[in-house]
Amino acid sequence: MIINPHWFAFPVNALAGLVIIFVGWRAKKLSSITHIVIALALVLAVCLVQGFMPAGYPFTRTWPFVVALVWLLVVLTSALFRKPSLTYFGLWLALFAGVLGAADSYNGQLLVHKDGFSGAPLPFELRLTEFTVDTYPGGEPMDYRAGIELSDKNRTVNKTLRVNHPVSFKGHQLYLSDYGKDRGDGIPYCILMYTRQPWRWLVLSGILLMMAAALKSFFK
Amino acid sequence: MTWAHFIWFAVLALAAWSAGSAAAFSGKGTNRMAIVFYVGGIIVYGLFIGALWISLERPPLVTMGETRLWYSFFLSIAGLITYLRWKYKWILSSATLLALVFTLINLLRPEIHNQVLMPALRSIWFIPHVTVYIFSYALFASAFLLALTGLIKPSADVLSAIDNLCKAGLSFFTIGMLLGAIWAKQAWGDFWSWDPKETWAAVTWLLYVLYLHTRKMNVKSKKFFYLLIVSAFISLQIGWYGINYLPWASHSIHNYSPNSSGK
C-alpha cells in the first residue's frame, strides 16, 4: 500500500502533471465551489488521519493521502482555468511542485569523519576539517560550526556548515544535524543531512505567491 | 526585569482591562474611557514583554510561558480592534477573561525556565514565524468567542463579524505557516514533512478555509458554521500545545524543550 516515490521519477511525474492539467482544463464542472469544498474536505479527512498516526508510519505516502492531494490539484486546476486567482494559483503551484517533485527528490544522512573521505551515495567526497561549538557565558551551546572539505574530480572547496545555514554543492543541499562526542581529542565526526530537490524553486515560488495573496487579502 | 516582577504588571494590566471592559457597557457606540483603559493595559503588558526581552537578551518566544505572554498581549489588541470596528460591547470583557486565564496559568504554573536560545532557533525566521502565528491565534480566539455567543444565543447576529475575523486570522495564519515552511527548508531540508505540528496546522488551515468557502454556499444552518469555527479552534489548540500531550505525537521535531534534541 505504501508508494515508492521513485516509480514516478521524471518523466513519469511530468506526464502525470500534464494529465492533471488536461483533466482540469476539460472538466468544467469541477470548478464549482461545491467541488472545491468536497476536495478540501477530502484533504482534511486524510490530514486528520495523519494527525492520529503513530510515529514512523508513512501514511502520507499511501494511496488515500496522495489521491486526496492529487484530486485537490485537479479541482484547483479546473477552477483556475475558469477564474484566475492568486491564492489558488500559489496553492496550486506549491502543491503541484511539492507532490510531483517528491518523486525526483531524495535525502539521507551521512557520517562525515575527520580522517578519510566518505561520499557515497553522493557524487562527491566530504571530510570534516574542524568542528567548533560556540557557547553562551553560562556554557549552553549557542552555535555549532563544521568546517567541511568538499571535493570532486575537478575541484576542492572548503565550506562552513551551521545549523539553519545549509550549504549547496553540485545540486545538493547539506545540513548540519548532529555531531559525535568529544573524547578528549576534539569532535571526531559530524552527521550531515543531504537533500536533492530539483523542483524546490517551483515550490518556493508557490509559497511566495500564496503569501503575497494572503497579504493582499488582508489589506483589501 | 524578570518573571518575579510579572505579577505587578499582570495585576495592573488586568485591572486596566477590566475597567475598560466595564466602561464599554455604558453609553452608545464606542466608549472613550474603555479605549483609554484598554490601551493603557496593552502598554503595561507590552512594557513587561519588552523588558523581559532586554533582560533575557533574546526574544521571549521560546517557552510555553513566553508564548502565553504574547497571546494575552495580542488577544487584547485583537479584542480592541474588534471593539473599535464592530462595536460589540461584550468583546472587551471576553478578551479580558481569556487574557486573565492565560495570565493566571503563567502565574500559577510557570514553565518559565530562563532558557537560552538554542542553535536550532537562531534564525531570522524565528520571530516573524511565531509572532504572526500568535496574532492569528488571537483573532481566531475572538471568532471562537463570537461563535460560542451564536450557539448560546441563536438570535445574535455574529456571522458577518466572524467572517471578517476569520479572513484576517487566516491571512496571518497562512503567512505564519508559510514562513515556517521556508524556515523548515533551511533548517531541516524540506518545506513540509507532515510533522505532528505541521499536520495539525494543515488541519486548522483547512477548517478555516472550508468555513470561508462554505459561507459562499447556500447553507441555511447557522449552527453548522458556529460548530465549524469551534472545531477549527480546538484543532488550533491541539497544534499549539495539545500535541505535547498526545502520546503518538511527542516525537515532533518542533519540540524545543530542554530534554529533546530540538533538531
Side-chain angles (χ1 to χ4, degrees):
Chain A
M1 176 119 141
I2 291 157
I3 301 170
N4 179 351
H6 301 298
W7 298 337
F8 295 91
F10 191 83
V12 181
N13 54 1
L15 276 172
L18 287 177
V19 171
I20 289 171
I21 294 174
F22 181 77
V23 174
W25 171 52
R26 292 305 301 244
K28 235 185 234 174
K29 275 186 187 161
L30 292 181
S31 65
S32 73
I33 188 142
T34 313
H35 274 290
I36 295 174
V37 165
I38 293 171
L40 287 169
L42 281 176
V43 175
L44 173 68
V46 291
C47 284
L48 273 171
V49 174
Q50 168 69 10
F52 289 101
M53 272 290 150
Y57 184 76
F59 178 66
T60 56
R61 281 195 280 125
T62 61
W63 285 108
F65 199 90
V66 175
V67 167
L69 282 185
V70 169
W71 182 247
L72 179 61
L73 267 176
V74 171
V75 172
L76 281 177
T77 314
S78 176
L80 279 167
F81 270 115
R82 315 308 153 206
K83 197 177 159 221
S85 130
L86 188 60
T87 312
Y88 282 179
F89 183 66
L91 176 62
W92 180 87
L93 186 60
L95 264 185
F96 188 81
V99 172
L100 297 177
D104 293 328
S105 308
Y106 57 82
N107 60 53
Q109 289 201 323
L110 204 60
L111 210 70
V112 182
H113 283 276
K114 270 193 171 150
D115 43 344
F117 282 81
S118 52
L122 299 178
F124 49 87
E125 296 185 317
L126 309 100
R127 189 171 72 89
L128 180 66
T129 54
E130 72 167 339
F131 195 98
T132 46
V133 182
D134 300 341
T135 54
Y136 287 102
E140 302 90 346
M142 180 165 80
D143 206 0
Y144 308 110
R145 296 163 190 276
I148 303 279
E149 189 178 296
L150 300 154
S151 50
D152 65 355
K153 268 173 271 163
N154 310 317
R155 60 191 173 131
T156 299
V157 251
N158 281 293
K159 302 234 183 187
T160 304
L161 262 171
R162 293 161 59 203
V163 179
N164 277 316
H165 297 271
V167 157
S168 283
F169 190 69
K170 295 192 77 177
H172 292 73
Q173 287 83 53
L174 303 168
Y175 300 80
L176 183 59
S177 63
D178 210 348
Y179 61 96
K181 272 222 169 65
D182 188 347
R183 292 183 203 282
D185 50 352
I187 284 155
Y189 65 85
C190 69
I191 295 173
L192 299 191
M193 197 187 83
Y194 60 89
T195 69
R196 195 177 133 73
Q197 288 190 325
W199 296 51
R200 67 186 183 282
W201 298 112
L202 282 177
V203 181
L204 183 63
S205 310
I207 287 175
L208 293 176
L209 287 175
M210 260 178 100
M211 286 171 78
L215 274 178
K216 203 181 117 193
S217 82
F218 181 71
F219 287 110
K220 202 164 60 184
Chain B
M1 189 71 53
T2 62
W3 279 103
H5 305 103
F6 177 57
I7 183 148
W8 304 110
F9 285 85
V11 166
L12 197 59
L14 282 163
W17 286 336
S18 307
S21 308
F25 282 103
S26 68
K28 272 185 182 166
T30 47
N31 180 296
R32 190 168 295 165
M33 282 316 284
I35 299 167
V36 170
F37 274 123
Y38 228 76
V39 170
I42 293 170
I43 292 173
V44 170
Y45 221 91
L47 277 176
F48 178 74
I49 296 177
L52 188 67
W53 189 325
I54 293 167
S55 79
L56 289 175
E57 295 176 0
R58 62 158 175 83
L61 292 163
V62 180
T63 63
M64 286 307 280
E66 289 163 5
T67 59
R68 278 196 291 261
L69 212 53
W70 288 91
Y71 191 64
S72 302
F73 179 65
F74 283 138
L75 194 67
S76 59
I77 294 175
L80 184 63
I81 291 172
T82 315
Y83 176 66
L84 292 173
R85 173 71 180 74
W86 292 289
K87 303 184 174 52
Y88 296 115
K89 288 180 187 302
W90 47 268
I91 188 80
L92 291 183
S93 3
S94 312
T96 304
L97 196 66
L98 266 186
L100 174 73
V101 170
F102 281 91
T103 304
L104 279 181
I105 297 174
N106 262 5
L107 285 169
L108 301 175
R109 277 198 59 214
E111 301 148 276
I112 308 162
H113 353 275
N114 274 346
Q115 263 180 17
V116 290
L117 197 51
M118 57 177 66
L121 295 181
R122 287 168 57 92
S123 162
I124 55 158
W125 301 107
F126 176 43
I127 296 173
H129 173 56
V130 179
T131 47
V132 167
Y133 251 147
I134 294 178
F135 189 67
S136 79
Y137 294 1
L139 291 168
F140 286 146
S142 309
F144 168 71
L145 291 172
L146 287 175
L148 284 187
T149 313
L151 280 174
I152 295 163
K153 221 175 91 186
S155 60
D157 183 26
V158 286
L159 269 181
S160 65
I162 294 180
D163 287 350
N164 289 313
L165 285 168
C166 276
K167 276 180 202 159
L170 190 61
S171 290
F172 277 93
F173 190 84
T174 307
I175 292 169
M177 187 167 76
L178 296 177
L179 285 170
I182 295 172
W183 183 12
K185 174 70 188 152
Q186 207 177 49
W188 299 321
D190 211 342
F191 292 105
W192 197 268
S193 46
W194 297 107
D195 173 73
K197 200 153 193 131
E198 295 170 359
T199 304
W200 284 100
V203 168
T204 306
W205 188 82
L206 283 162
L207 284 167
Y208 284 110
V209 169
L210 273 169
Y211 169 83
L212 289 176
H213 277 77
T214 44
R215 278 289 283 150
K216 292 185 195 159
M217 293 168 75
N218 196 14
V219 181
K220 288 281 186 297
S221 160
K222 280 187 183 175
K223 208 172 164 187
F224 168 81
F225 294 113
Y226 297 147
L227 290 176
L228 199 52
I229 291 296
V230 170
S231 43
F233 193 69
I234 293 171
S235 157
L236 185 76
Q237 308 308 308
I238 297 177
W240 181 12
Y241 51 82
I243 55 160
N244 299 343
Y245 305 100
L246 298 182
W248 59 88
S250 53
H251 63 285
S252 170
I253 48 175
H254 275 87
N255 191 346
Y256 292 108
S257 69
N259 303 324
S260 78
S261 64
K263 283 171 202 154

